[in-house]
Structures are given as structure tokens and as C-alpha cells.
Amino acid sequence: MNAPRLDRHRLPHHIAVIMDGNGRWARQRGRPRVFGHRAGSKAVRRVVRACRRLGIEVLSLYAFSAQNWGRPADEVHHLMDLLGEFIIKEWQEIMERGIRVVHIGAIRRVPAEVRSRLKALELASQRNRDMTLVLALSYGGREEIVRGAQRLVSRAAAGKLRPADVDADCFSRALYTAGLPEPELLIRTGGERRISNFLLWQCAYTELFFTDVLWPDFKVADLRAAIIDFQGRSRRFGLTGEQWEERDG
Ligand code: IPE
Ligand code: IPE
Ligand code: MG
């Protein structure tokens, strides 16, 4: 039997990635963890380019979690520096390729210089339409949900929202990801089979793909393999298989 091929007409609109395994990649080479993060930023460039070429509409990358602030200060500094560097180095290509950059997460905690660079890139790229690159930075899914609840509660307290009007759509609009489609495919590299506080609300019906490949080793072929695997899944959203097929026509 022929191996399944990637069907360019049935691509996920939104792919989310938990880029894990940089530290282990470095350790395997007897190098400090930060060496792995630097190699990881090359994988970021590869995957962004590949998704743009394929025509993926939204790519969300988990770059730094709310919990990652608890890592050794050296590592945190280095990760922030890498982010600042990434913005400078990729700026031109992001603009040339029509990529809109947005962040999700509590970036007020990010060092001011990096934060202002990121905001400048978001502003410069806001009218780009060929792909949206979502950077999850200082991001936590629970933190996002709590923040959303706080926003709704304060609107209700101000008499601008009735409790009965709070439904799933209304709640979605109170999240960082307001206006973005939910991811159809979530890829986690590095071998762990967990979500680690990423897009908890948004992943309710997302297809999960776990690979042992460490993030710095993640290649375009691995991305394609994840998409092909996704294309072989049967998504039912709680209905029976028959109902779902009828609905598809
Ligand atoms: C992912 O790689 C990058 C970040 C969390 C910022 P890790 O640094 O978690 O690598 P491992 O899991 O220790 O190998
Ligand atoms: C998830 O990886 C966060 C990012 C990839 C940014 P972690 O390495 O922080 O997750 P755990 O600790 O294995 O759950
Ligand atoms: Mg990790």
C-alpha cells in the first residue's frame, strides 16, 4: 500500500505547537540548556516558513509558559534575549512573507526592551494577511481563563453584561485568542504526552499529535507527517460516525 500523502485541500487552518525538548537536546551533546534553545530558534524559523508555504492560516507557538518564569534566572534571561534577537532577525522576512504576528500571554512580565520590539512588530505586521503567527509568551491556559472570567465579571459588575448572556462564544471573546480559530491540530515534540497549560479552552476538540523528536531536530518532514496523521483522523465532535458523514454529504 502506498504511504498516505499530504492533501493540500484538507489542511488544518490552525496548527499549535508545544516546542519541547531543547534542554534534553543540549544535554545529549554535553552542552548547556541554552545551547538547545538557540538550536530551537532555528527550528522555529523552519516551521514558520514551511507553514507559510503550505498555506496554514494560523500557527501558534508555545514559546514561554507562565510557569517557565520559575526556571533559573540565567535560562530565563537567555530565552528573553533569544526572543528579542528573533524579532530583529526575522522582521524583514515576516514582512516580505505577509505574516501577521500577535502574542498571547502576560507580556507585561517580559523585559521592556523585548516587549517594545514585539509590540512594534505586531503593529508593523497588523495588516499582513498571508498567515498569522501567534507567539504564546508568558502564557498559561488557566491564567488566560481566569483573566477572561475577571473581565466578564467586571463588565457584569458595571451593569454592561447580564450573567445569562455569558455563553461559550462570549467566553471565547474574553480570551487572548478572541477572533482566532481554534486549533485543529496540536503538535508536541520532546516525548511528553501532556498539554502543560497550553490553550486549555481552545483545545477542547483539537487533534493531538505527540512525537519523541526533540524540538531542535524537528524538520519539515516531521511537520508534514503530523499533518498527514491529522488528515487520517476521524473527527466527530461528539456525534456518531454516521451522523458526521451525513453532515459532510
Ligand atoms: C522547551 O524546551 C523550551 C521552553 C520550555 C522554553 P525545554 O527547555 O523544556 O527542554 P526540556 O524539556 O528540558 O528538554
Ligand atoms: C511547555 O514545556 C512550555 C513550552 C514549550 C514553552 P515545559 O517543558 O515547560 O513543560 P513541562 O514542564 O514538561 O510540563
Ligand atoms: Mg520541557
Side-chain angles (χ1 to χ4, degrees):
M1 211 179 84
N2 290 335
R5 296 175 57 150
L6 190 145
D7 178 352
R8 294 192 68 131
H9 301 291
R10 287 174 50 244
L11 291 169
H13 300 275
H14 181 175
I15 299 178
V17 188
I18 302 176
M19 311 182 288
D20 195 26
N22 295 350
R24 279 162 286 165
W25 188 88
R27 197 176 57 216
Q28 284 175 0
R29 286 158 181 76
R31 303 294 296 269
R33 295 177 59 81
V34 296
F35 182 70
H37 294 314
R38 188 160 284 282
S41 68
K42 295 199 181 109
V44 171
R45 181 174 322 145
R46 264 197 309 272
V47 168
V48 171
R49 279 190 187 162
C51 284
R52 168 68 185 81
R53 245 192 339 262
L54 275 168
I56 303 298
E57 289 164 33
V58 183
L59 171 66
S60 294
L61 300 178
Y62 203 6
F64 193 88
S65 74
Q67 287 65 34
N68 289 152
W69 289 113
R71 291 193 179 194
D74 267 10
E75 183 171 346
V76 171
H77 281 151
H78 190 88
L79 282 163
M80 293 300 142
D81 285 352
L82 269 180
L83 174 68
E85 224 177 84
F86 179 84
I87 295 169
I88 294 175
K89 277 201 190 152
E90 301 306 312
W91 187 296
Q92 190 182 347
E93 185 166 336
I94 283 169
M95 295 307 292
E96 282 170 6
R97 291 181 196 255
I99 298 171
R100 175 173 73 116
V101 175
V102 298
H103 80 271
I104 56 174
I107 61 155
R108 61 176 186 283
R109 292 188 70 181
V110 168
E113 196 191 332
V114 178
R115 191 170 66 227
S116 62
R117 255 183 233 168
L118 175 62
K119 286 195 166 163
L121 177 57
E122 288 181 306
L123 192 65
S125 69
Q126 67 181 343
R127 282 188 231 293
N128 290 349
R129 285 289 169 267
D130 294 328
M131 185 171 90
T132 296
L133 174 61
V134 181
L135 296 177
L137 250 185
S138 185
Y139 173 87
R142 282 189 175 170
E143 289 78 357
E144 176 184 41
I145 290 169
V146 169
R147 173 180 171 273
Q150 285 172 347
R151 297 176 84 184
L152 296 179
V153 169
S154 52
R155 277 175 52 205
K160 292 180 182 151
L161 180 71
R162 289 177 310 174
D165 292 334
V166 179
D167 58 10
D169 283 339
C170 166
F171 208 96
S172 293
R173 287 194 296 272
L175 300 177
Y176 288 123
T177 50
L180 293 169
E182 287 172 8
E184 289 104 324
L185 170 62
L186 171 74
I187 300 170
R188 180 171 188 146
T189 64
E192 311 297 351
R193 268 83 176 145
R194 56 176 171 256
I195 300 289
S196 298
N197 207 14
F198 194 37
L199 300 176
L200 295 182
W201 169 276
Q202 297 84 347
C203 283
Y205 273 101
T206 299
E207 297 298 327
L208 310 179
F209 182 87
F210 297 104
T211 170
D212 292 336
V213 174
L214 302 175
W215 177 248
D217 288 330
F218 193 79
K219 300 280 165 22
V220 176
D222 300 306
L223 173 71
R224 295 176 69 93
I227 296 174
I228 290 168
D229 187 87
F230 164 81
Q231 291 178 331
R233 307 265 181 112
S234 165
R235 307 187 75 205
R236 291 187 287 275
F237 301 93
L239 304 183
T240 67
E242 290 75 17
Q243 283 177 306
W244 195 252
E245 272 152 36
E246 269 170 39
R247 178 200 160 275
D248 269 354

